[in-house]
Amino acid sequence: MSMRLGPQPGEVLDRTRPFTFTWNGREVPAYQGDTIASALAAAGVRVFSRSLKYHRPRGLLTASFHDPGCIVQVDDEPNVRGAHRLARPGMRVRSQNTWPSLNFDVKAINQLAGRFLSAGFYYKTFIRPRWLWPTYERVLRRFANGGEVPPEAAGDYYDKRYAHPEVLVAGGGPAGMAAALAAADAGASVLLVEEEHQLGGHLCWGDEADLAALRGLSERVAAAPGIEVLCDSAVLGRYEGNWIAVVQRTVPGVAERLVKVRAGTLVVASGLIERPYVFAGNDIPGVMLSTAVRRLINLYAVKPGERAVVLTGNGDGDAAVADLKRAGVTVAHIADARLGDDIVRAHGRGRLRSVELPDGRRVDCDLLVTATGWTAPAALLTMAGDRPVYDPRAARYFPDPARLPEDVLAAGGIAGDGSLDELLAHADAVGAEAARRATGAGDGPVPIPTLPVDAHPALFRGRTHGIVDFCEDVSSTDLVQAVEEGYRSVELVKRYTTVTMGPTQGKLEAVNAVAIVAEATGRSIGETGTTTWRPPYVPVTLGALAGRVFEPVRYSPMQPWHEAHGATPLVAGAWIRPDHYGDPHAEARTVRGDVGIIDVTPIGKLDLRGPDVPKLLNLLYVNKWSKLDVGRVRYGVMCADDGVVLDDGVTGHLGPDHYLMSTTSSGAATVWEWVENWLQTQHPDWQVHVTPLTTAYASMNVAGPRSRELLERVTEGVDLAGEAFPYMNVRTGRVCGVDDCVLWRIGFTGELSYELHIPAAYGLHVWETLMERGHDLGIAPFGVEAQRILRLEKGHLIVGQDTDGLTRGFSAGLDWAIKLDKDDFVGKPELAWQQEAGEYPRLVGLQPLDGSVVPEEACQIVDPPRRADRRPRIVGRVTSSRMSPILGRSICLAQVDAHLAAPGTQVTVRLPDGRHIPARVTDHLAHFDPTGDRLRV
Amino acid sequence: MPTRPRPRRYPARYSAFSLLRHGLAGDHLVPAWRDRELKNSYDVVIIGGGVHGLATAYYLAANHGITDVAVLDKGYVGSGGSGRNTAILRSNYLTPEGVRFYDRSVRLYERLAADLNYNVMFSQRGHLTLAHNDSSLRTMRWRAEVNKLEGVDSEVVGPAEIKKLVPYLDVSAAVRYPILGALYHPPGGIIRHDAVVWGYARGASGYGVHIHQNTEVTGIDVAGGPNGRRVRGVRTDRGDIAASTVINCTAGWSTLVAEMAGVRLPIQTFPLQAAVTEPVRPFLDAVVVSGSLHVYVSQTDRGELVFGASVDPFAGYSMRGSLEFVEGLAGHVLELMPSLAKVRLLRQWAGLCDMTPDFSPIMGRTPVDGFLVDVGWGTYGFKAGPVSGEAMADCVATGRTPDIIAPFGVERFAEGRLLGEKGAAAVGH
Ligand SMILES: Cc1cc2nc3c(=O)[nH]c(=O)nc-3n(C[C@H](O)[C@H](O)[C@H](O)COP(=O)(O)OP(=O)(O)OC[C@H]3O[C@@H](n4cnc5c(N)ncnc54)[C@H](O)[C@@H]3O)c2cc1C
């Protein structure tokens, strides 16, 4: 049966654009401008969903964004606010939480059991037997209320934007519009944010005079140059420093956009939200708020019922009566709460049949309208530090302006009552004052008039018990019971019953809940306090919060070559670099036999200049740095204040007062911060200038017995002969025609090798030239995996792999480097203490007796128990392990307890499958060429 | 003090039958715990009505018959971390001492509903810590190996197995941080955190323990002498209370309270944030954690997705959430499960975490005689409630530090015996 009315003066429908969409598979007609709910209501639909616990049928309650009765699934989008979302041609809308269908819901059996599903029932049941709980839980999970997310749901497009208005006005009702206009008049830039699809707030569903006022305000807002309007948008939260999040849903092609606003002043003009009344049957479809029927009739031309009973405590209820009559609804009874009238309960199953009055009479009807008072949506104000105060005369909360920071103001209905003119005057002053505070212009504070407070009957719960939280299916008896059981603070009642914890987050039910707890505890509403409003004000998609995905990737300039030559990528933090080019063992053999080349661009590089660089190096490294001649490089280790190994690398003395420091690839950012931190906070007087050069250089290591021969072919201005450019030296010169290259003769791989730092733009050129000129020498690229094998053969530790968050210097085999006789250095006291204590784990070389077994990294070294019923004790662990191609056996580094560190000690390694294998501690950390002859040639 | 266990005395037993009776007869409900007069002296005063304080009180009474105990909280019970955490329980830690300790706690949790006659809804649906690079995979293997040696069910699993456990995860190599493997810990899961707090409160109250909410400790009386300092009692905003034993169970506020007794702790307090979505049909059984992406996700029985991350970068006592947090969080969640883009975030909040340098707690005696601490719970202490309560109660009743908490003494910092759990606890949960 169609409930669509003829054209209404304020309707938002475009009747020239009809279309259809589907509701649970059925075609439903709609006009452009209809919400899902208004189209369904016009089509005669009254039941939209089933409630959480009892699976009771639910209809429209507020007919607004916050309507808990009309949360639906739209295509693959769950939990869509059906009373707000505009209907679109072809959209597939389904009810949620119903099985097998909306009208016949099997789970509604819970209604029968309802008397036992009281507050916290699940805490008191399913306790024994314990093994049954997982089964109970599976059933409970089936009752979870919410839409579906298909695993392969299509990704929409999301975006973000920054805005810097001087004044942000939250709420585009008359007060918000007036505040925005006043602020713009005063010269401020204004962002005006409105949750509904159009500006106007309650004027939109008002009478002729309201509509005329709305037209006037709208025209002025549209004409004002400094106002940007965002409709169908919501202010989500106000954070420190007026950092404000807004979600905007109107950008074409963008599902939701997060607007991040730094506002000079925030004006909260969010109006008031109508409060439901608590009585038996208050959730039967057909029971609605006065604003809901006024919206349905005036905005959407929907007749909300045929025969109505109205409970009114204020002018809006009276206006609803007028609207109903105009729409042809029979108003069978009016209960005026201001005169002490009331209703007792609503009757009907699935739809309203009658309303019981205090004198016992039953009035037949299919619509019950309540107008029992208001809730101030104070979320944004409380996020700014406000604590709303309860005013018993008006039966609602008001903001406490004294607690608000300078940059937040409240305007209009949230701040007080009054005629439209009074509200506009208030908002006008607030808007001007907001502009003044944001811009500093004008002469002195703008006086803000005080709004009157109208008396309103205190209507929270009637003489029966009913639903308080419609999302969570929490009734007033649940709240009373929670209090009886000792959960007396509102916060505890909230947690125990879950009242205010559902999708409306308290906007409809918080005040009723507080009033009922107050009643049950014998305290006043003021004493009872409120629960905390937490952001976001309305739920926002993860997509909008995430925005477009920006995950930066770092590549070296040689990346195109790697890709063209079949490199397998390795994700290493921000970097993606070659792991290997097919056969890491062959790559390692090339380095040992001929010459290999590896891209080491991610190595951290810091250019250090100034007379005090040696002081800095002496402070941060555990070894000595005072005497490092120009042209020399030195390996250094940094420890943190607690003596734990932080990073290692080499630093070279390039020229007078000029050094280049290298760090590990993963430590590049940390070390830069570390260096700056010590300089800026502890030694601001030192003359050191730090420039990170990590990506300014393309870095490559040319390693292998034939590396010198190769470099001699391409290097100018540097004598590469062994005596002229010995191990641990640095030179600068021209390589492959490129000037200002830095050459370090160092060797992580244990071979004769040169690390080249090439101005990044020429990296690919140098790499390709080396590959070409080295062809006859057998050159091949090698990746990270081959490098790991080679360094393990040489026993070089990797910080973070062979050390962990507790490995202090002496446990990392760095005894030779740590110079406790230095004046001071970071970590010295801890390291001195460690050495004194003596009993610390050590890093050792380790070889399984059976060289064909490679124990996985992180295998534990155990002390096997003497008795079978005891657990083995952990005495160490394998930190690195590989099969060595040159030695043809497995090799490891391990951390072991002190008593096992002596060379030759046999230990037991426990493999992941539980087997124990014997292994021996080697003489040196290096498994290959322990004396280092190869790198000194 | 007596150390004989007492029989349990609940005000009213909970069962389906008692609910039925209430439903039919509508008889009055019995309070879960009682409001009592604040006395001016107790044997034991416990500061902090979170899970640690209440569990300690409960085990003092239940295991040792010590019932002249008051639990004081400046707010309501569970108003601190115990009511703000993401309720993940697990024992897949890194150090043998840690693994043993948390394993005992998980085992106590497994029978807690029956012990307390209060369904705490411990849902052991498994716990997965994802590894996106070989160094975290190595840490996962390290944890798995230590866990297995301590008898805890943990193993490293590969992408195929992960996909089977959590079909919504994108395990392809095409993502920015591919999933290489995970530490799978079947006994891990989530619990109703409030229920644990209330269950312990009800249990303790049933034995006669006093629970005083809205009672703030403002000072601690310590008597000094040549043989050391000794605690005398506490001062509160409702009057002074004498006590020979005072236990600090105030987590995020623990340094402030310890300082009242002149005890300095190597703890810094950091905010930790979390967020929850609107309910959607349950699709996620396991808890999923990603260290590299700094995020973890679980789904409650109500269908809400609960998210958490690492502590905020700066120390402080602010309990307000930040926008940056939810933005980063959402990005990381979608990196893991792209199909969740349309799910809506419902609420965000923050709590305070008392972080120690080594990510292990500080428990037991202090230089002030009679003043004990059960603190340093950082981002991970909810799961430790039962074992801590049991051990602290032992410590008070017997005067000896039980083995299971001996490694966690405050003296370890002076002795250089740190217990590094960062590798198992950096993403706070
Ligand atoms: C967002 C978040 C997520 C977390 N997730 C997890 C998780 O998944 N798993 C996990 O195991 N842990 C988690 N944690 C950590 C966990 O919440 C805490 O470690 C744990 O709750 C600590 O419990 P508690 O009883 O020691 O302290 P709390 O519960 O914080 O209780 C301390 C109490 O002391 C009271 N108090 C403080 N000062 C005074 C005073 N002067 N006088 C009287 N009373 C006082 C406070 O009001 C408070 O109620 C998380 C924490 C947060 C914040």
Side-chain angles (χ1 to χ4, degrees):
Chain A
M1 177 186 40
S2 174
M3 302 295 277
R4 187 68 85 185
L5 299 166
Q8 302 295 307
E11 73 178 24
V12 293
L13 307 177
D14 180 352
R15 298 202 186 223
T16 65
R17 294 168 69 192
F19 58 87
T20 63
F21 65 97
T22 66
W23 164 244
N24 289 329
R26 203 183 98 201
E27 291 247 315
V28 178
Y31 292 120
Q32 183 67 36
D34 257 324
T35 63
I36 292 170
S38 69
L40 291 176
V45 174
R46 300 208 100 191
V47 178
F48 293 80
S49 64
R50 292 275 181 164
S51 73
L52 170 67
K53 267 196 297 191
Y54 308 122
H55 283 252
R56 287 161 64 94
R58 288 278 167 80
L60 290 179
L61 178 70
T62 71
S64 70
F65 185 95
H66 308 292
D67 200 317
C70 190
I71 297 181
V72 294
Q73 177 96 24
V74 175
D75 299 314
D76 61 3
E77 182 178 356
N79 303 337
V80 172
R81 303 317 200 250
H84 175 80
R85 179 69 62 87
L86 296 181
R88 299 227 181 278
M91 95 193 327
R92 284 174 307 138
V93 184
R94 282 177 292 142
S95 48
Q96 296 182 169
N97 198 28
T98 50
W99 182 79
S101 80
L102 187 56
N103 296 323
F104 178 78
D105 183 332
V106 175
K107 294 179 209 156
I109 198 78
N110 273 5
Q111 279 189 65
L112 300 177
R115 302 163 75 174
F116 314 112
L117 299 185
S118 53
F121 79 94
Y122 28 74
Y123 302 130
K124 301 176 184 167
T125 47
F126 311 139
I127 296 172
R128 280 175 193 280
R130 219 169 78 195
W131 52 266
L132 258 183
W133 164 243
T135 314
Y136 291 138
E137 195 191 11
R138 268 195 296 279
V139 177
L140 266 189
R141 283 174 90 76
R142 207 157 293 154
F143 277 90
N145 199 351
E148 276 166 56
V149 205
E152 312 301 339
D156 276 328
Y157 187 81
Y158 297 91
D159 202 3
K160 292 187 188 178
R161 171 197 161 190
Y162 289 89
H164 304 87
E166 279 152 338
V167 175
L168 178 101
V169 181
M177 293 164 93
L181 283 166
D185 274 352
S189 57
V190 180
L191 187 65
L192 175 59
V193 182
E194 167 56 43
E195 187 172 28
E196 305 271 347
H197 300 281
Q198 64 283 321
L199 292 177
H202 70 269
L203 296 182
C204 295
W205 55 85
D207 57 19
E208 278 303 335
D210 289 338
L211 292 174
L214 171 58
R215 272 192 300 276
L217 284 166
S218 301
E219 276 160 22
R220 285 177 57 206
V221 168
I227 305 180
E228 182 185 352
V229 178
L230 303 182
C231 282
D232 193 5
S233 301
V235 180
L236 301 174
R238 186 262 182 199
Y239 301 88
E240 220 57 55
N242 259 1
W243 181 229
I244 295 165
V246 175
V247 62
Q248 183 187 4
R249 310 188 189 94
T250 50
V251 186
V254 179
E256 278 188 352
R257 170 154 86 172
L258 184 70
V259 186
K260 304 203 281 178
V261 185
R262 181 75 73 182
T265 320
L266 168 67
V267 175
V268 178
S270 49
L272 294 171
I273 293 179
E274 195 173 17
R275 208 159 62 203
Y277 190 47
V278 180
F279 58 93
N282 65 342
D283 66 333
I284 297 173
V287 179
M288 286 184 214
L289 306 188
S290 73
T291 41
V293 300
R294 300 195 67 200
R295 295 166 69 98
L296 285 174
I297 295 169
N298 297 312
L299 289 178
Y300 303 110
V302 172
K303 193 174 176 186
E306 298 295 346
R307 203 177 138 79
V309 171
V310 181
L311 170 67
T312 170
N314 53 46
D316 283 71
D318 305 341
V321 171
D323 282 342
L324 288 169
K325 289 185 174 156
R326 209 168 38 74
V329 179
T330 313
V331 179
H333 178 80
I334 299 174
D336 191 331
R338 289 158 295 195
L339 308 175
D341 292 351
D342 199 357
I343 53 165
V344 177
R345 71 176 78 233
H347 291 279
R349 289 192 59 205
R351 66 185 301 151
L352 184 66
R353 302 270 172 220
S354 64
V355 172
E356 190 179 320
L357 303 178
D359 58 13
R361 263 189 307 151
R362 275 199 188 195
V363 184
D364 289 345
C365 61
D366 64 350
L367 178 65
L368 169 58
V369 181
T370 65
T372 53
W374 308 98
T375 297
L380 293 174
L381 298 173
T382 58
M383 286 176 212
D386 196 36
R387 284 236 206 107
V389 184
Y390 183 73
D391 183 336
R393 217 159 47 89
R396 68 176 164 98
Y397 284 87
F398 288 89
D400 179 358
R403 283 181 169 268
L404 284 173
E406 269 283 289
D407 54 7
V408 179
L409 293 158
I414 192 169
D417 298 313
S419 66
L420 181 59
D421 286 341
E422 283 172 303
L423 290 170
L424 290 176
H426 179 260
D428 184 72
V430 169
E433 173 64 6
R436 188 193 68 83
R437 291 192 190 174
T439 62
D443 15 71
V446 181
I448 297 172
T450 315
L451 284 171
V453 171
D454 295 348
H456 193 290
L459 299 165
F460 306 104
R461 182 173 77 81
R463 36 200 97 187
T464 47
H465 282 285
I467 296 294
V468 177
D469 185 329
F470 292 78
C471 295
E472 294 288 308
D473 233 4
V474 176
S475 70
S476 45
T477 10
D478 289 330
L479 304 187
V480 172
Q481 184 198 316
V483 170
E484 252 183 54
E485 289 195 78
Y487 304 86
R488 296 172 63 86
S489 122
V490 245
E491 284 289 350
L492 286 179
V493 172
K494 161 179 149 189
R495 286 144 190 269
Y496 190 62
T497 62
T498 75
V499 71
T500 75
M501 294 186 71
T504 53
Q505 289 285 290
K507 291 177 198 74
L508 301 176
E509 64 279 5
V511 177
N512 284 339
V514 170
I516 289 160
V517 170
E519 182 190 334
T521 52
R523 291 175 295 204
S524 73
I525 292 180
E527 286 163 349
T528 304
T530 53
T531 57
T532 320
W533 296 84
R534 291 187 166 125
Y537 175 67
V538 290
V540 55
T541 58
L542 297 180
L545 290 171
R548 272 185 279 159
V549 180
F550 294 114
E551 285 284 3
V553 178
R554 287 179 137 185
Y555 292 119
S556 91
M558 287 80 89
Q559 179 67 14
W561 192 95
H562 303 321
E563 279 170 18
H565 292 80
T568 298
L570 175 75
V571 179
W575 291 91
I576 293 184
R577 51 188 307 200
D579 192 26
H580 58 81
Y581 300 83
D583 184 352
H585 276 209
E587 291 165 22
R589 275 192 295 266
T590 306
V591 174
R592 293 267 179 253
D594 301 307
V595 55
I597 177 168
I598 181 172
D599 182 346
V600 292
T601 302
I603 280 185
K605 285 153 293 224
L606 295 176
D607 184 82
L608 307 175
R609 289 181 198 242
D612 293 324
V613 174
K615 286 191 196 163
L616 175 77
L617 299 176
N618 261 327
L619 175 72
L620 297 187
Y621 284 123
V622 298
N623 44 337
K624 283 193 182 156
W625 289 85
S626 319
K627 289 195 213 79
L628 183 75
D629 296 333
V630 172
R632 302 291 310 271
V633 299
R634 184 168 292 163
Y635 172 75
V637 179
M638 294 183 189
C639 289
D641 331 37
D642 53 5
V644 170
V645 180
L646 183 75
D647 202 70
D648 67 349
V650 297
T651 291
H653 196 167
L654 302 187
D657 294 347
H658 185 195
Y659 291 75
L660 182 65
M661 172 188 279
S662 72
T663 75
T664 61
S665 306
S666 54
T670 320
V671 173
W672 179 26
E673 272 181 36
W674 186 245
V675 168
E676 287 287 4
N677 191 25
W678 282 96
L679 282 175
Q680 292 180 28
T681 64
Q682 301 298 316
H683 298 286
D685 54 319
W686 286 1
Q687 293 185 39
V688 179
H689 192 82
V690 184
T691 315
L693 290 183
T694 304
T695 50
Y697 282 125
S699 305
M700 52 196 87
N701 197 301
V702 184
R706 308 180 85 169
S707 56
R708 181 180 291 141
E709 199 180 336
L710 169 59
L711 282 181
E712 275 169 345
R713 296 177 181 178
V714 296
T715 309
E716 294 164 63
V718 179
D719 182 354
L720 293 166
E723 336 59 82
F725 185 6
Y727 180 56
M728 292 311 260
N729 271 256
V730 56
R731 301 287 180 269
T732 47
R734 169 185 284 212
V735 179
C736 303
V738 178
D739 284 330
D740 298 326
C741 297
V742 180
L743 294 82
W744 283 358
R745 194 178 154 195
I746 54 177
F748 196 45
T749 59
E751 295 298 325
L752 169 66
S753 70
Y754 299 86
E755 194 154 294
L756 313 180
H757 300 294
I758 315 288
Y762 298 102
L764 183 59
H765 158 74
V766 170
W767 178 278
E768 286 176 335
T769 309
L770 286 170
M771 289 304 300
E772 197 185 299
R773 300 292 300 277
H775 186 71
D776 60 318
L777 301 175
I779 192 169
F782 65 107
V784 172
E785 176 56 21
Q787 190 194 39
R788 285 183 186 165
I789 296 171
L790 293 162
R791 71 90 200 177
L792 182 56
E793 289 174 343
K794 278 297 295 176
H796 289 306
L797 70 91
I798 295 183
V799 174
Q801 170 163 348
D802 301 299
T803 70
D804 57 65
L806 286 184
T807 311
R808 289 179 292 170
F810 286 105
S811 292
L814 296 170
D815 315 42
W816 59 272
I818 302 169
K819 296 292 183 239
L820 292 175
D821 57 342
K822 270 207 295 184
D823 263 2
D824 189 21
F825 61 90
V826 178
K828 180 177 168 182
E830 283 278 342
L831 290 171
W833 185 35
Q834 187 192 12
Q835 196 194 37
E836 204 182 294
E839 278 297 298
Y840 47 81
R842 325 231 160 172
L843 189 68
V844 296
L846 193 72
Q847 293 187 352
L849 298 192
D850 176 353
S852 68
V853 181
V854 186
E856 278 180 272
E857 288 168 352
C859 276
Q860 300 296 300
I861 296 169
V862 296
D863 195 359
R866 269 167 253 293
R867 281 175 39 193
D869 58 337
R870 289 277 165 77
R871 292 204 175 121
R873 205 164 54 87
I874 296 169
V875 290
R877 81 175 190 283
V878 174
T879 58
S880 295
S881 65
R882 285 290 186 278
M883 178 57 76
S884 160
I886 194 96
L887 299 173
R889 68 161 359 269
S890 56
I891 53 171
C892 311
L893 283 178
Q895 266 195 36
V896 294
D897 284 357
H899 69 282
L900 299 172
T905 310
Q906 190 161 318
V907 300
T908 304
V909 179
R910 186 181 188 275
L911 301 180
D913 62 11
R915 269 186 303 147
H916 286 180
I917 59 158
R920 191 176 329 104
V921 175
T922 53
D923 294 346
H924 306 277
L925 288 173
H927 297 273
F928 177 70
D929 185 27
T931 47
D933 301 334
R934 299 176 69 90
L935 34 79
R936 289 204 171 76
V937 290
Chain B
M1 289 185 207
T3 61
R4 223 167 341 102
R6 287 270 187 99
R8 292 166 215 294
R9 280 178 308 180
Y10 287 112
R13 283 202 70 80
Y14 293 154
S15 64
F17 179 72
S18 71
L19 270 187
L20 205 69
R21 209 180 46 214
H22 170 73
L24 291 176
D27 54 349
H28 269 272
L29 288 158
V30 179
W33 57 84
R34 287 170 204 288
D35 285 333
R36 319 224 195 203
E37 283 295 307
L38 184 66
K39 299 197 297 175
N40 57 15
S41 154
Y42 291 92
D43 284 349
V44 181
V45 163
I46 296 171
I47 313 171
V51 65
H52 283 264
L54 292 166
T56 302
Y58 172 78
Y59 291 112
L60 273 172
N63 293 355
H64 304 285
I66 299 172
T67 56
D68 189 25
V69 177
V71 179
L72 312 180
D73 199 290
K74 67 188 169 87
Y76 54 93
V77 290
S79 56
S82 297
R84 295 164 184 271
N85 68 87
T86 47
I88 294 167
L89 308 187
R90 61 189 175 91
S91 57
N92 57 357
Y93 276 71
L94 183 61
T95 66
E97 295 85 350
V99 175
R100 242 169 266 153
F101 175 78
Y102 291 108
D103 183 43
R104 171 73 188 156
S105 213
V106 167
R107 286 172 203 273
L108 287 171
Y109 264 127
E110 283 171 347
R111 37 174 255 229
L112 196 62
D115 279 359
L116 296 177
N117 176 234
Y118 203 106
N119 193 350
V120 292
M121 298 193 267
F122 185 13
S123 174
Q124 294 179 284
R125 286 179 282 115
H127 181 281
L128 275 173
T129 315
L130 305 175
H132 303 268
N133 55 50
D134 60 331
S135 95
S136 48
L137 197 55
R138 204 177 303 119
T139 308
M140 296 315 141
R141 207 177 297 121
W142 180 0
R143 284 165 65 181
E145 291 309 303
V146 175
N147 288 183
K148 285 189 268 184
L149 278 166
E150 293 298 331
V152 166
D153 191 359
S154 273
E155 59 184 316
V156 173
V157 295
E161 178 105 353
I162 296 170
K163 184 80 187 172
K164 239 186 279 160
L165 289 164
V166 185
Y168 279 65
L169 277 178
D170 187 344
V171 298
S172 70
V175 297
R176 179 64 182 84
Y177 299 102
I179 295 170
L180 305 183
L183 179 66
Y184 180 44
H185 177 51
I190 52 176
I191 198 163
R192 250 313 268 152
H193 55 351
D194 291 326
V196 174
V197 170
W198 302 331
Y200 273 126
R202 170 169 170 268
S205 176
Y207 284 117
V209 168
H210 286 198
I211 297 166
H212 298 293
Q213 306 183 75
N214 304 311
T215 308
E216 178 164 3
V217 172
T218 53
I220 297 178
D221 286 325
V222 175
N227 303 324
R229 289 172 295 157
R230 172 142 234 335
V231 80
R232 282 282 175 76
V234 300
R235 270 166 274 154
T236 79
D237 56 0
R238 294 175 57 204
D240 295 354
I241 303 170
S244 55
T245 303
V246 174
I247 312 178
N248 176 0
C249 296
T250 53
W253 299 266
S254 56
T255 48
L256 307 176
V257 170
E259 252 155 49
M260 295 176 191
V263 172
R264 290 198 63 197
L265 297 170
I267 284 176
Q268 259 194 310
T269 291
F270 285 81
L272 175 66
Q273 304 193 44
V276 62
T277 68
E278 291 184 348
V280 288
R281 303 251 91 183
F283 66 88
L284 179 65
D285 281 334
V287 177
V288 177
V289 183
S290 165
S292 305
L293 293 172
H294 297 287
V295 68
Y296 59 89
V297 191
S298 70
Q299 189 172 25
T300 67
D301 289 341
R302 290 157 50 81
E304 302 150 322
L305 295 169
V306 179
F307 303 133
S310 313
V311 287
D312 283 3
F314 303 103
Y317 288 89
S318 164
M319 284 207 267
R320 271 193 238 166
S322 69
L323 177 60
E324 290 62 32
F325 171 76
V326 282
E327 290 185 85
L329 187 76
H332 290 146
V333 169
L334 295 185
E335 182 86 13
L336 289 176
M337 303 189 204
S339 50
L340 301 188
K342 291 173 179 147
V343 176
R344 290 183 179 75
L345 195 93
L346 184 61
R347 186 164 70 235
Q348 68 173 117
W349 68 91
L352 301 181
C353 294
D354 42 340
M355 308 296 292
T356 59
D358 58 359
F359 288 69
S360 286
I362 303 176
M363 299 178 75
R365 274 182 291 232
T366 68
V368 175
D369 228 15
F371 180 66
L372 284 72
V373 292
D374 171 19
V375 298
W377 288 112
T379 61
Y380 40 78
F382 194 78
K383 69 178 73 62
V387 68
S388 305
E390 184 186 59
M392 292 304 293
D394 264 9
C395 194
V396 170
T398 64
R400 284 186 305 272
T401 305
D403 287 349
I404 196 157
I405 60 165
F408 304 129
V410 67
E411 62 289 346
R412 76 173 180 278
F413 298 98
E415 293 166 4
R417 289 187 291 103
L418 269 57
L419 274 164
E421 284 291 5
K422 189 169 180 186
V427 185
H429 68 289

